[in-house]
């Protein structure tokens, strides 16, 4: 998808450049014709200008059509995937109940209560407690109020759950107060905004960790009459309300012990990113008549954005394998870290540097160690 987006942006820039060039040629032709109307002697020059403009427009149109056709073929190649190659039906064996609960939870989190009721009616194995419905209805109602610029109910919830939010290290209360402060400034109530900041910012900044941000916000009063042309213009975009609603929903779910983002949505997004890579690798393995024998692990690494990385990842510098629950990272006394499988091989003398006493040399420094001296590392 990233390559498609980049190519689409290039195509858009090329189209804009071609359009500007075409308009320039047409305007030059119009000027030549207007001149020929008043000066008949320049009619031959106007005729040549018309011919040049026609040729230039035709050439630019031809080039643009060629680029559009190439992009269309790129799109077709990108989405022409044989899903049967990467399908793994065993992944969902005896997992129908868990999958159903994930779908139901996604509907509830998204506020699609009609879909959730229809799904529950069709799949009797899915059970959603009344309290869960009530919690998510309250969450979506409060988030919708934030989108419509009504902050008081969400602020009341944040104040009532201040202890839980602070324990999780979430700054929702300050974020909501900041929205209210900016709302007052935008409405021209600078005096009320200053009074609001003096009353609430200190309460939401108990550890002084947001002092720099508060100091920065106070500078907005210098530009109160020209916010759109000020360095603070980005803070007053309409997008801030949608961002505030998402931050509130994430904090609400965190207080309830749920992930900030829908697990189903994250899984589908990650799978979509991995689909092209996995399909290509699966095709290559099939052509070479090779099977990937490692269970619960992909044959290649799939690049994911930071937003989809929820656990620290360690790759053993010796075996180049990624650590797992069965093959955790182990720290040697010298401080270097290897996976447990590599540690066991070193202890058995499989690697060069091992000695008969059971002690072995660290692969990266002169330090000596035994398997018993290594300690498991938790990232």
């Amino acid at each position: 998808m990233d390559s498609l987006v980049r190519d689409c942006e290039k195509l858009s820039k090329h189209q804009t450049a071609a359009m500007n060039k075409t308009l320039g040629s047409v305007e030059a032709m119009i000027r030549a014709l207007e001149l020929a109307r008043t000066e008949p002697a320049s009619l031959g020059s106007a005729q040549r200008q018309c011919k040049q403009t026609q040729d230039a427009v035709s050439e630019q149109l031809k080039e643009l059509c060629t680029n559009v056709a190439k992009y269309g073929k790129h799109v077709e190649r990108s989405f022409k995937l044989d899903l049967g190659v990467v399908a793994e039906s065993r992944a969902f064996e005896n997992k129908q109940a868990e999958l159903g609960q994930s779908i139901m939870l996604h509907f509830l989190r998204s506020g699609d209560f009609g879909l959730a009721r229809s799904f529950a009616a069709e799949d009797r194995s899915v059970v959603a407690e009344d309290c869960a419905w009530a919690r998510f209805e309250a969450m979506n109602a409060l988030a919708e109020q934030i989108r419509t610029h009504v902050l008081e109910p969400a602020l009341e919830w944040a104040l009532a759950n201040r202890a839980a939010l602070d324990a999780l290290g979430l700054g929702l209360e300050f974020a909501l107060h900041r929205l209210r402060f900016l709302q007052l400034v935008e409405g021209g109530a600078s005096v009320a905004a200053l009074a609001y900041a003096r009353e609430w910012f200190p309460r939401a900044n108990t550890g002084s960790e947001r002092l720099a941000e508060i100091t920065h916000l106070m500078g907005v009063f210098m530009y109160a009459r020209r916010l759109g042309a000020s360095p603070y213009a980005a803070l007053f975009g309409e997008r801030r309300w949608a961002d505030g609603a998402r931050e509130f929903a994430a904090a609400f779910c965190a207080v309830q012990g749920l992930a900030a983002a829908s697990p189903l949505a994250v899984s589908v997004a990650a799978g979509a990113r991995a689909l092209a890579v996995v399909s290509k690798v699966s095709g290559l393995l099939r052509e070479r008549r090779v099977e990937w024998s490692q269970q619960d692990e992909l044959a290649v690494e799939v690049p994911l954005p930071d937003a989809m990385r929820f656990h620290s990842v360690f790759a053993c510098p010796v075996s180049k394998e990624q650590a797992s629950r069965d093959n955790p990272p182990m720290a040697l006394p010298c401080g270097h870290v290897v996976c447990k499988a590599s540690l066991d091989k070193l202890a058995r003398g499989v690697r060069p540097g091992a000695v008969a006493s059971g002690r072995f040399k660290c692969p990266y420094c002169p330090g000596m160690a035994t398997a018993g001296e290594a300690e498991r590392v938790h990232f």
Side-chain angles (χ1 to χ4, degrees), residues 142 145-146 148-160 176-177 179-181 183-184 196 200 241 248:
L142 292 172
Q145 287 179 318
I146 294 175
T148 56
H149 309 180
V150 179
L151 296 170
E152 287 74 12
L155 280 167
E156 292 178 2
W157 183 91
L159 290 172
L176 293 174
H177 285 310
L179 277 176
R180 178 58 179 158
F181 169 79
Q183 186 181 36
L184 291 171
Y196 186 88
W200 290 106
W241 300 106
F248 173 81

Coordinates of all heavy atoms in Angstrom, one line a residue, residues 142 145-146 148-160 176-177 179-181 183-184 196 200 241 248:
L142 N -20.2 9.8 25.5 CA -19.3 10.8 25.9 C -18.4 11.2 24.8 O -18.1 12.4 24.6 CB -18.5 10.3 27.1 CG -19.3 10.2 28.4 CD1 -18.4 9.5 29.5 CD2 -19.9 11.5 28.9
Q145 N -20.2 13.4 22.4 CA -20.3 14.8 22.9 C -19.0 15.6 22.7 O -19.1 16.8 22.4 CB -20.7 14.7 24.4 CG -22.1 14.3 24.6 CD -22.5 14.2 26.1 OE1 -21.7 13.8 26.9 NE2 -23.6 14.7 26.4
I146 N -17.9 14.9 22.9 CA -16.6 15.6 22.6 C -16.5 16.1 21.2 O -16.1 17.2 20.9 CB -15.4 14.7 23.0 CG1 -15.4 14.5 24.5 CG2 -14.1 15.4 22.6 CD1 -14.3 13.5 25.0
T148 N -18.9 16.9 19.3 CA -19.8 18.1 19.1 C -19.4 19.2 20.0 O -20.2 20.1 20.3 CB -21.2 17.6 19.4 OG1 -21.3 17.1 20.7 CG2 -21.6 16.6 18.3
H149 N -18.2 19.2 20.6 CA -17.6 20.3 21.4 C -18.2 20.5 22.7 O -18.2 21.6 23.3 CB -17.7 21.7 20.6 CG -17.2 21.6 19.2 ND1 -17.3 22.7 18.3 CD2 -16.7 20.6 18.4 CE1 -16.7 22.4 17.2 NE2 -16.4 21.1 17.2
V150 N -18.8 19.4 23.3 CA -19.4 19.5 24.6 C -18.4 18.6 25.5 O -18.3 17.4 25.4 CB -20.8 18.9 24.7 CG1 -21.3 18.9 26.1 CG2 -21.7 19.7 23.7
L151 N -17.8 19.3 26.5 CA -16.7 18.7 27.2 C -17.1 18.4 28.7 O -16.4 17.6 29.3 CB -15.4 19.6 27.2 CG -14.8 19.8 25.8 CD1 -13.7 20.9 25.9 CD2 -14.2 18.5 25.3
E152 N -18.1 19.0 29.2 CA -18.4 18.9 30.6 C -18.6 17.4 31.1 O -18.0 17.0 32.1 CB -19.6 19.7 31.0 CG -19.3 21.2 31.0 CD -19.2 21.8 29.6 OE1 -19.5 21.1 28.7 OE2 -18.7 23.0 29.5
P153 N -19.4 16.6 30.4 CA -19.6 15.2 30.8 C -18.3 14.4 30.8 O -18.1 13.6 31.8 CB -20.6 14.7 29.8 CG -21.3 15.8 29.3 CD -20.3 16.9 29.2
A154 N -17.5 14.6 29.8 CA -16.2 13.9 29.8 C -15.3 14.3 30.9 O -14.6 13.5 31.5 CB -15.5 14.1 28.4
L155 N -15.3 15.6 31.2 CA -14.5 16.1 32.3 C -15.0 15.6 33.7 O -14.1 15.2 34.5 CB -14.5 17.6 32.3 CG -13.6 18.4 31.3 CD1 -14.0 19.8 31.2 CD2 -12.2 18.2 31.8
E156 N -16.2 15.4 33.8 CA -16.8 14.8 35.1 C -16.3 13.4 35.2 O -15.9 13.0 36.3 CB -18.3 14.9 35.1 CG -18.8 16.3 35.2 CD -20.4 16.4 35.1 OE1 -21.0 15.3 35.0 OE2 -20.9 17.5 35.1
W157 N -16.3 12.7 34.1 CA -15.9 11.3 34.1 C -14.4 11.2 34.5 O -14.0 10.4 35.3 CB -16.1 10.6 32.8 CG -15.8 9.1 32.8 CD1 -16.6 8.1 33.1 CD2 -14.5 8.6 32.5 NE1 -15.9 6.9 33.0 CE2 -14.6 7.2 32.6 CE3 -13.3 9.1 32.1 CZ2 -13.5 6.3 32.4 CZ3 -12.2 8.3 31.9 CH2 -12.3 6.9 32.0
A158 N -13.6 12.1 33.9 CA -12.1 12.1 34.1 C -11.8 12.4 35.6 O -11.0 11.8 36.2 CB -11.5 13.1 33.2
L159 N -12.6 13.4 36.2 CA -12.4 13.7 37.6 C -12.8 12.6 38.5 O -12.1 12.3 39.5 CB -13.2 15.0 37.9 CG -12.7 16.3 37.3 CD1 -13.7 17.4 37.6 CD2 -11.4 16.7 37.9
A160 N -13.9 11.9 38.1 CA -14.3 10.7 39.0 C -13.3 9.6 38.9 O -13.2 8.8 39.8 CB -15.7 10.3 38.5
L176 N -8.3 17.2 28.2 CA -9.7 17.7 28.2 C -9.7 19.2 28.6 O -10.4 20.0 28.0 CB -10.6 16.9 29.0 CG -10.9 15.5 28.5 CD1 -11.8 14.7 29.5 CD2 -11.6 15.5 27.1
H177 N -8.9 19.5 29.7 CA -8.9 20.9 30.1 C -8.2 21.8 29.1 O -8.6 22.9 28.9 CB -8.1 20.9 31.4 CG -8.8 20.5 32.6 ND1 -10.1 20.9 32.9 CD2 -8.5 19.6 33.6 CE1 -10.5 20.3 34.1 NE2 -9.6 19.5 34.5
L179 N -8.4 21.3 25.8 CA -9.5 21.5 24.8 C -10.4 22.6 25.3 O -10.8 23.5 24.5 CB -10.2 20.2 24.6 CG -9.6 19.2 23.6 CD1 -10.5 18.0 23.6 CD2 -9.5 19.8 22.2
R180 N -10.8 22.6 26.5 CA -11.7 23.6 27.0 C -11.1 25.0 27.0 O -11.7 26.0 26.7 CB -12.2 23.2 28.4 CG -13.1 24.3 29.1 CD -14.4 24.5 28.3 NE -15.3 25.4 28.9 CZ -16.2 26.1 28.2 NH1 -16.3 26.0 26.9 NH2 -17.0 27.0 28.9
F181 N -9.8 25.0 27.4 CA -9.1 26.3 27.4 C -9.0 26.9 26.0 O -9.3 28.1 25.8 CB -7.7 26.1 27.9 CG -6.7 27.2 27.8 CD1 -6.7 28.3 28.6 CD2 -5.8 27.2 26.7 CE1 -5.9 29.4 28.4 CE2 -4.9 28.2 26.6 CZ -4.9 29.3 27.4
Q183 N -11.0 26.2 23.5 CA -12.3 26.6 23.1 C -12.7 28.0 23.6 O -13.3 28.8 22.9 CB -13.3 25.5 23.7 CG -14.7 25.7 23.2 CD -15.7 24.7 23.8 OE1 -15.5 24.3 24.9 NE2 -16.6 24.2 23.0
L184 N -12.3 28.3 24.8 CA -12.6 29.6 25.4 C -11.8 30.7 24.6 O -12.3 31.8 24.3 CB -12.3 29.7 26.9 CG -13.2 28.9 27.8 CD1 -12.7 28.8 29.2 CD2 -14.6 29.4 27.8
Y196 N -9.8 30.0 33.8 CA -9.9 28.6 33.7 C -8.6 27.9 33.8 O -8.4 26.9 34.5 CB -10.6 28.2 32.4 CG -10.9 26.7 32.3 CD1 -12.2 26.2 32.7 CD2 -10.0 25.8 31.7 CE1 -12.5 24.9 32.6 CE2 -10.4 24.5 31.6 CZ -11.6 24.0 32.1 OH -11.9 22.7 32.0
W200 N -7.7 25.1 36.7 CA -7.6 23.7 36.5 C -6.3 23.2 36.0 O -6.0 22.0 36.3 CB -8.7 23.4 35.4 CG -10.1 23.5 35.8 CD1 -10.9 24.5 35.5 CD2 -10.7 22.6 36.7 NE1 -12.1 24.3 36.2 CE2 -12.0 23.2 36.9 CE3 -10.4 21.5 37.4 CZ2 -13.0 22.6 37.7 CZ3 -11.4 20.9 38.2 CH2 -12.6 21.4 38.3
W241 N -11.0 17.9 17.9 CA -12.2 17.3 18.6 C -12.2 15.8 18.3 O -12.5 15.0 19.3 CB -13.5 18.0 18.1 CG -13.5 19.5 18.4 CD1 -13.3 20.5 17.5 CD2 -13.6 20.1 19.7 NE1 -13.3 21.7 18.2 CE2 -13.5 21.5 19.5 CE3 -13.8 19.6 21.0 CZ2 -13.7 22.4 20.6 CZ3 -13.9 20.5 22.0 CH2 -13.8 21.8 21.8
F248 N -10.1 10.0 24.5 CA -11.0 9.7 25.6 C -11.4 8.2 25.6 O -11.4 7.5 26.6 CB -12.3 10.5 25.6 CG -13.3 10.1 26.5 CD1 -13.3 10.5 27.9 CD2 -14.4 9.3 26.1 CE1 -14.2 10.1 28.8 CE2 -15.3 8.9 27.0 CZ -15.3 9.3 28.4

